[in-house]
Amino acid sequence: MNSGGVPYLNQAVAGTGNAEIVLETDHPGQPHQGKVFVAIHAHLHELPYYAGGLCAKLIREGYTGYLVRTTNDEKYGGHTIAQNILSNEQEHLKMAAAMGFKDVADLYYRAHRMNEISPTEIRGRLTLLLRMFKADTVISFHPWGYGEEDTDRQVTGRAVDDACVLAASESDFQEHLEAGFRPQSVTERYYFHTRSGQPFNRLVDIGSYVEAKIDAMVECRSQGGGALGSELRARLARQGKRLPLLGNDDRTANREYVRQFLLDDFRDYGRPHKFSYAERFYYVDRRPPAKTKVDEYVEKNAVGI
Amino acid sequence: MERRKFLGRSAAGGMAVGLGAALKPSRGASGLPGKFTPAAHAIPHSKYSPFTTPDYYTFADDLVIERNVPGKPHQGKVLAAVQAHSDDIPLFAAGTVAKLIDEGYTGYLIRLSNDEAAGRTLGYGVVQNEADIQEAARAMGCKRAYSFYYRNHRMDDNAVIEIRARLIFLFRLLQVNTIFAMDPYDHYDENPDHIVAGKAVEGACWMAGGGKDYPEHYKAGLKPAHIREKYYHARSPQGHNLVNRVVDISSYIDHKVRTNVANKGKGPAGTAGVRLRRQLARQGKKLALLGEDDETANLAYVKFFLMDDFHLLGQQFGLEYAEAFRYIGPEPSYAGNIMKYASEHAVPL
Ligand SMILES: [Zn+2]
């Protein structure tokens, strides 16, 4: 496990079959100023659910964030296919704005059918986006995520991982270089923890960012449960009842519903470490060391001619 | 313009149009009953090389002969000549590409395969062809050559949608107005790379102008490319397409010769002249048309033996040399025409 010498990684603890787990806590100031992350998910609600806290934290600590959605989400929303595409598209923009993303790219591949698309085509598109946004860090699905039954997530994770490699290469998609987009090294990756049994090696304390996570989640109404609070409140009202938890307006109802019923996993993840909420990730550090082994060898052994 | 004349008819040992010009067409007596009108036409062929003009032509009744245009009428316009292999555009369209560039176009050559199927070893083949396309581009007057390096003869293994996406990117980046490509509706083509290339180019042409395809390109600062003119060429041998445009390339035949001589790694041209000259020398003979040096030998060989079929094609139309295309031009202003009708015929309420 390489903690990369990052100062805010304040402790490593024994994991549950995942080797060492690094606890990533708040860091004062803006240590990530000038850095860029690109979060890439398949469906509207995934990023806020699995990584809303992390994204809010990284943006607060200086990162510029970009959001990419790979599908058109046509299967979710309870309306016609076309209406679902529209509602998810608009909610995605609102969710991104709530999280503070600088820009959003939608690729609109058909939901539930991404295993029919050309792997090289989506990889090429993602490579351009990573170069264009100058991504240092990527947040997405684990490309070998155990037990991940959603094929859109499998395809997205695989394509993102491949694109991270190609984005750094001067020989791939040279037309991008011609257009002024230089090779881009993506040196850090956070893979979502989407299913129990998947590996994770980093636990991010999102206690300070849970309100931002909820803000993003309530924008996901077509899927992700963002409107369940107001719907429950309305249903109870028709029965002449109310839940004090849900407050007196729809927004409060939606937010408190999310907090009460949809964040259990994140409370559970944090509890052993005394975090009120935490998100799990498999973190990959590809930052080059300050000195290579060759540098060290030369330093030690070089003699005058 | 002087450069073009380096190989005038008399410059290479009294060179005349090749022997093929004197050969009879190979049609023979047609067995087609008189009640039928032929739909395809065989024209004379030199039989010097299979890789020149197709065995048949089908002509549209509104065929246009495109001749030289004085000045630079295409100034500000951009053409992309897209080929699967390093020898496709040189053999079938180099004269017209050179003509349009001379008339003001900025030209780009885009090769889709790596041409690995030609060469002493696969490695030598790709290196030679990589270098050749740069030279061929220069000979036509292109500003730049690009290559996507898909594996030669295996392009049906690639996702057309990915090739198309990359072409859309390049068309938008270069702001292409006009393309050259292998006709995706050729009547015969045994080479899968040609078919894939033609279909990818065709799809890319119209999508490059749209706002909804690959919107990330617009985030990247690119602009839509409105491709309003296409020149589709046939492959040969066989492989005829519908021809509605014959281009007079007489003034550009030496550009075409130079472009083909640049193709050393693939195709019938390259250093074939030198090889023939040396072969004859070993037998104690020489051909006057091959001149006294290697460069002359290569240029003369190509002009005499390989360009002859383009002369025979041109002759059918009263031209010295010609290339044939399925040309697809700008669409009429449909809405404008309706409005014109409305304004001419509308009466007061
Ligand atoms: Zn070819």
Side-chain angles (χ1 to χ4, degrees):
Chain A
M1 175 70 225
N2 176 9
S3 66
V6 181
Y8 57 94
L9 299 181
N10 51 5
Q11 54 179 313
V13 297
T16 52
N18 295 297
E20 191 177 77
I21 294 172
V22 169
L23 305 180
E24 180 172 334
T25 54
D26 283 358
H27 192 280
Q30 299 223 305
H32 303 304
Q33 192 72 48
K35 288 174 74 180
V36 170
F37 78 80
V38 179
I40 304 168
H41 62 163
H43 311 112
L44 167 69
H45 66 300
E46 290 162 344
L47 188 278
Y49 185 74
Y50 295 116
L54 172 70
C55 290
K57 175 180 183 293
L58 295 183
I59 291 171
R60 215 279 300 144
E61 293 175 356
Y63 263 102
T64 299
Y66 294 92
L67 182 61
V68 178
R69 181 181 60 138
T70 55
T71 77
N72 65 1
D73 277 319
E74 67 179 32
K75 304 297 194 298
Y76 310 98
H79 301 288
T80 68
I81 293 283
Q83 287 165 340
N84 289 345
I85 292 172
L86 175 61
S87 64
N88 279 281
E89 172 192 73
Q90 295 305 309
E91 289 164 24
H92 194 238
L93 293 170
K94 286 181 188 164
M95 181 273 283
M99 292 252 30
F101 283 103
K102 185 173 179 188
D103 201 358
V104 182
D106 285 305
L107 303 187
Y108 295 103
Y109 294 99
R110 289 193 71 186
H112 293 185
R113 298 182 63 92
M114 280 189 70
N115 46 353
E116 75 184 350
I117 68 171
S118 157
T120 50
E121 195 243 8
I122 183 172
R123 179 197 304 168
R125 299 182 73 183
L126 291 171
T127 300
L128 174 64
L129 288 170
L130 295 178
R131 288 172 171 172
M132 189 168 93
F133 293 144
K134 297 185 166 51
D136 301 292
T137 299
V138 151
I139 302 169
S140 192
F141 298 100
H142 196 304
W144 304 280
Y146 170 81
E148 181 50 79
E149 61 193 18
D150 186 318
T151 51
D152 295 346
R153 295 179 179 187
Q154 293 170 12
V155 171
T156 300
R158 185 70 259 155
V160 169
D161 219 43
D162 291 344
C164 287
V165 175
L166 301 192
S169 157
E170 284 189 0
S171 304
D172 286 289
F173 303 109
Q174 290 177 322
E175 61 271 26
H176 298 173
L177 314 189
E178 185 74 17
F181 301 108
R182 305 302 310 155
Q184 180 66 30
S185 293
V186 179
T187 53
E188 292 175 85
R189 299 177 208 176
Y190 289 83
Y191 297 140
F192 303 143
H193 180 266
T194 62
R195 309 276 173 184
S196 104
Q198 284 185 0
F200 63 97
N201 59 8
R202 179 162 297 210
L203 196 71
V204 178
D205 174 7
I206 61 160
S208 309
Y209 303 96
V210 74
E211 300 306 323
K213 183 180 177 87
I214 293 171
D215 285 344
M217 287 177 70
V218 297
E219 297 297 348
C220 305
R221 303 163 71 90
S222 295
Q223 57 183 315
L228 291 179
S230 54
E231 286 166 16
L232 176 59
R233 186 165 164 271
R235 193 162 69 244
L236 291 173
R238 285 195 295 276
Q239 298 165 2
K241 301 179 201 166
R242 74 177 186 94
L243 265 179
L245 166 78
L246 300 180
N248 296 318
D249 59 83
D250 286 352
R251 179 164 174 79
T252 306
N254 288 335
R255 287 182 53 82
E256 296 313 312
Y257 184 100
V258 167
R259 190 192 311 275
Q260 180 69 23
F261 299 114
L262 302 184
L263 296 182
D264 281 347
D265 282 352
F266 306 100
R267 280 187 283 268
D268 292 346
Y269 297 161
R271 193 168 297 117
H273 306 285
K274 310 250 182 312
F275 299 153
S276 52
Y277 295 90
E279 289 170 345
R280 288 175 172 177
F281 298 93
Y282 190 87
Y283 171 81
V284 178
D285 190 353
R286 296 272 167 80
R287 287 171 295 176
K291 273 187 196 167
T292 65
K293 287 183 83 169
V294 174
D295 292 335
E296 282 171 13
Y297 185 89
V298 169
E299 215 168 80
K300 258 191 206 162
N301 298 290
V303 294
I305 295 172
Chain B
M1 297 298 258
E2 264 316 298
R3 226 174 115 249
R4 266 191 234 135
K5 299 197 187 320
F6 73 97
L7 263 178
R9 285 286 169 89
S10 58
M15 178 164 53
V17 168
L19 287 174
L23 295 177
K24 290 269 180 241
S26 57
R27 271 173 288 189
S30 171
L32 189 70
K35 63 181 177 181
F36 296 113
T37 304
H41 302 272
I43 65 168
H45 196 285
S46 70
K47 310 289 189 214
Y48 285 138
S49 169
F51 305 114
T52 54
T53 52
D55 49 359
Y56 293 107
Y57 285 89
T58 51
F59 296 112
D61 67 359
D62 59 350
L63 184 140
V64 167
I65 296 177
E66 181 177 328
R67 301 175 192 278
N68 289 357
V69 189
K72 303 281 183 193
H74 302 304
Q75 196 76 52
K77 289 171 74 181
V78 173
L79 72 83
V82 187
Q83 57 183 357
H85 312 119
S86 59
D87 57 342
D88 294 338
I89 289 290
L91 284 168
F92 306 127
T96 306
V97 171
K99 171 185 183 291
L100 293 188
I101 290 172
D102 190 44
E103 291 172 358
Y105 267 98
T106 299
Y108 296 96
L109 181 63
I110 302 171
R111 180 187 65 152
L112 300 186
S113 87
N114 67 358
D115 283 310
E116 69 182 31
R120 185 149 52 92
T121 66
L122 192 147
Y124 282 111
V126 295
V127 167
Q128 183 64 55
N129 281 285
E130 181 185 64
D132 289 352
I133 59 166
Q134 303 298 333
E135 286 302 316
R138 258 191 289 280
M140 286 184 286
C142 289
K143 186 174 176 186
R144 175 92 204 255
Y146 295 89
S147 186
F148 285 174
Y149 296 97
Y150 294 101
R151 288 197 68 191
N152 194 180
H153 293 177
R154 298 181 60 90
M155 282 183 60
D156 42 352
D157 200 20
N158 305 121
V160 176
I161 193 170
E162 195 248 2
I163 301 170
R164 187 171 75 206
R166 299 184 69 184
L167 287 171
I168 291 170
F169 185 91
L170 262 188
F171 290 168
R172 287 173 175 172
L173 174 67
L174 303 173
Q175 286 295 288
V176 173
N177 307 104
T178 297
I179 63 96
F180 285 76
M182 191 78 74
D183 194 330
Y185 303 99
D186 226 0
H187 275 51
Y188 176 89
D189 202 323
E190 60 200 9
N191 194 317
D193 296 353
H194 294 161
I195 298 163
V196 172
K199 291 306 289 179
V201 169
E202 184 175 56
C205 282
W206 69 272
M207 287 184 209
K212 299 293 188 294
D213 291 296
Y214 302 102
E216 64 269 28
H217 295 178
Y218 301 128
K219 282 186 189 296
L222 304 187
K223 298 275 182 291
H226 300 292
I227 295 164
R228 305 207 193 280
E229 292 178 86
K230 301 188 186 97
Y231 290 79
Y232 285 152
H233 62 79
R235 62 97 70 183
S236 75
Q238 305 94 28
H240 61 286
N241 61 347
L242 175 66
V243 170
N244 63 357
R245 179 161 297 216
V246 168
V247 181
D248 178 3
I249 60 161
S250 308
S251 307
Y252 300 92
I253 190 63
D254 290 341
H255 286 73
K256 180 161 181 158
V257 169
R258 282 189 185 282
T259 305
N260 279 279
V261 168
N263 259 352
K264 296 178 176 56
K266 188 171 246 185
T271 55
V274 168
R275 293 199 302 275
L276 177 58
R277 189 162 162 269
R278 286 179 188 161
Q279 184 187 332
L280 291 172
R282 282 195 295 275
Q283 299 164 4
K285 300 179 198 168
K286 72 170 189 168
L287 261 181
L289 73 90
L290 297 181
E292 300 300 324
D293 59 80
D294 287 356
E295 189 186 5
T296 306
N298 288 333
L299 294 168
Y301 178 99
V302 171
K303 188 158 187 179
F304 189 85
F305 293 114
L306 303 182
M307 296 300 110
D308 198 34
D309 289 334
F310 300 95
H311 170 69
L312 295 173
L313 169 66
Q315 274 191 324
Q316 310 301 310
F317 299 89
L319 308 172
E320 194 178 357
Y321 289 94
E323 287 170 342
F325 298 94
R326 162 81 164 114
Y327 170 82
I328 299 172
E331 289 191 347
S333 170
Y334 298 112
N337 290 341
I338 291 171
M339 290 314 294
K340 183 166 175 279
Y341 179 91
S343 66
E344 285 171 2
H345 295 84
V347 295
L349 290 171

